[in-house]
Amino acid sequence: MEIVVRASIIFFFLLLLTRGMKKRSLTNMAPFEMLLLVTLGDIVQQGVTQEDMSLTGAVLAVSTFAFWITVLTWATWRWRRVGKLVDGVPMVIVRDGVPIDEVLATERLPLDELHEAARQEGIADLAEVRFAILEPSGRISFIKA
Amino acid sequence: MSPTSSSTLPDETPSLGLRRAGYTITAALLALVVGIAAADAIEAVAILGVDSRTVSANGGGVDLEVTYGAVSRPALATPFDIEVHQAGGFDGPVRVAVDREYFRMWDENGLVPAPSAETVMGAWLVWEFDPPLGDTLRVTYDARIEPAAQEGRSGAVAVLDAEDAVLTQVAFTTRLWP
């Protein structure tokens, strides 16, 4: 029943992939990034189930993913260090109204995206912002001065 | 609280014990399913397929051995091999009969070697093979289980003499997971 082994490998590969992608990709995708998301399911499905068209195979593949999600969820709750490794850490990207260019460059976050996120929070000028934090989920939190 | 209250708070506090029990049961079921499948993958158990077995019989101076899929799943390639052995070799064609109903769950790719003749005899599909070089005929049925097959079948293989009498016969069952 090697579906379990293949599903596990694909799960951890996808986990590495999502951790390696820039954080904003997770919430705010460019069209070319959306292409990957749309086709990812089809691409990996054959690698997991191959020619297995049985209900049993589908149940096992899904159960394997759900199992590892459950394990990681528990591990991130139990050990903070695991949480940082799996989910990432929040990063300050604006301090006292000034964008931190080094962090923006590392996260490949264009200033335009930062401005867009601020507008969505009703912030017209970054000078109003004491801190802006890029969360592990890819969302940007704003703390006003 | 009145029915028209604008409060967004839940009306009652959920039972944490019940929720915790639900999460634990779900996690345990997942671990069980994945554990069984992992054990099957390393062949510690043989439950989920594809698992093969061999049955054999002899009679009339002929040894018959059939390797079949004991457990399989739809659309998967599954073994079905027939070996007929006669000490000293075969004087004439080797006639092998297979239960026709057994083949209803198969999607055939080919039979190796190809029979020189093929006919039906009641519930049997009878293949006639040219005598092999040596004293053993090995037939491989290259096929997979039909994608729409949901339940397994029993089957039988027999070796017939020139007068259609059964020299020896084996029976087996292939079980399918849906």
Side-chain angles (χ1 to χ4, degrees), chain A residues 75-77 79-89:
Chain A
T76 54
W77 166 79
W79 296 289
R80 207 163 163 216
R81 200 174 292 177
V82 174
K84 287 181 181 177
L85 188 66
V86 173
D87 294 333
V89 293

Side-chain angles (χ1 to χ4, degrees), chain A residues 57-74:
Chain A
V59 167
L60 285 172
V62 171
S63 295
T64 303
F65 270 65
F67 170 76
W68 286 118
I69 289 169
T70 303
V71 167
L72 285 178
T73 303
W74 177 81

Side-chain angles (χ1 to χ4, degrees), chain A residues 1-4 51-56 60 63-64 66-67 70, chain B residues 30-31 33-34 37 40-41 48 73-76 144 147 177-178:
Chain A
M1 209 54 235
E2 65 285 352
I3 282 180
V4 166
E51 294 171 323
D52 192 334
M53 296 185 190
S54 67
L55 178 64
T56 305
L60 285 172
S63 295
T64 303
F67 170 76
T70 303
Chain B
L30 286 174
V33 168
V34 172
D40 194 275
L48 297 169
R73 300 192 305 281
L76 294 187
R144 55 189 67 237
W177 285 94

Side-chain angles (χ1 to χ4, degrees), chain B:
Chain B
M1 197 167 295
S2 72
T4 57
S5 168
S6 61
S7 171
T8 60
L9 298 176
D11 287 342
E12 54 187 41
T13 306
S15 162
L16 288 182
L18 264 177
R19 291 172 76 89
R20 200 173 293 131
Y23 294 142
T24 303
I25 289 168
T26 303
L29 280 173
L30 286 174
L32 180 67
V33 168
V34 172
I36 290 173
D40 194 275
I42 61 170
E43 298 182 6
V45 298
I47 298 174
L48 297 169
V50 175
D51 300 307
S52 63
R53 289 203 192 128
T54 301
V55 289
S56 56
N58 52 57
V62 168
D63 299 318
L64 171 64
E65 192 174 274
V66 173
T67 300
Y68 66 100
V71 182
S72 188
R73 300 192 305 281
L76 294 187
T78 304
F80 186 56
D81 300 315
I82 301 168
E83 190 173 294
V84 182
H85 172 84
Q86 184 170 53
F90 299 89
D91 297 329
V94 183
R95 306 183 76 228
V96 176
V98 184
D99 182 349
R100 291 171 66 191
E101 281 300 304
Y102 183 66
F103 282 136
R104 289 169 71 84
M105 70 174 186
W106 291 86
D107 187 7
E108 179 185 342
N109 291 331
L111 192 62
V112 178
S116 54
E118 188 176 72
T119 188
V120 293
M121 186 175 75
W124 297 99
L125 173 66
V126 181
W127 293 324
E128 193 170 283
F129 297 93
D130 290 337
L133 300 172
D135 52 9
T136 303
L137 169 71
R138 289 189 183 86
V139 179
T140 297
Y141 186 63
D142 181 12
R144 55 189 67 237
I145 303 294
E146 273 280 344
Q150 298 300 314
E151 50 184 20
R153 287 182 182 269
S154 294
V157 172
V159 179
L160 309 178
D161 65 12
E163 282 79 43
D164 296 336
V166 174
L167 294 174
T168 187
Q169 179 176 327
V170 294
F172 42 84
T173 300
T174 297
R175 199 162 45 84
L176 291 187
W177 285 94

Side-chain angles (χ1 to χ4, degrees), chain A:
Chain A
M1 209 54 235
E2 65 285 352
I3 282 180
V4 166
V5 175
R6 287 199 299 269
S8 297
I9 292 171
I10 291 292
F11 176 83
F12 284 103
F13 169 69
L14 290 175
L15 182 64
L16 271 175
L17 189 71
T18 50
R19 282 291 284 121
M21 287 171 63
K22 62 174 188 173
K23 282 182 184 166
R24 284 293 284 171
S25 298
L26 302 177
T27 58
N28 193 20
M29 291 200 171
F32 62 89
E33 290 163 334
M34 187 71 76
L35 278 176
L36 178 64
L37 187 68
V38 168
T39 58
L40 202 58
D42 263 345
I43 292 170
V44 302
Q45 178 265 320
Q46 290 234 304
V48 174
T49 58
Q50 295 189 323
E51 294 171 323
D52 192 334
M53 296 185 190
S54 67
L55 178 64
T56 305
V59 167
L60 285 172
V62 171
S63 295
T64 303
F65 270 65
F67 170 76
W68 286 118
I69 289 169
T70 303
V71 167
L72 285 178
T73 303
W74 177 81
T76 54
W77 166 79
R78 180 69 178 80
W79 296 289
R80 207 163 163 216
R81 200 174 292 177
V82 174
K84 287 181 181 177
L85 188 66
V86 173
D87 294 333
V89 293
M91 302 185 73
V92 178
I93 54 176
V94 173
R95 181 177 282 119
D96 296 326
V98 179
I100 304 172
D101 292 332
E102 190 183 3
V103 178
L104 292 178
T106 303
E107 294 298 319
R108 299 192 293 276
L109 180 63
L111 205 56
D112 286 345
E113 272 191 45
L114 175 59
H115 287 167
E116 179 186 342
R119 286 194 298 272
Q120 287 172 351
E121 296 297 319
I123 297 168
D125 193 328
L126 285 182
E128 301 172 37
V129 176
R130 177 130 188 258
F131 292 109
I133 295 138
L134 178 62
E135 304 290 357
S137 64
R139 293 179 65 87
I140 299 178
S141 304
F142 292 91
I143 298 171
K144 293 184 183 177

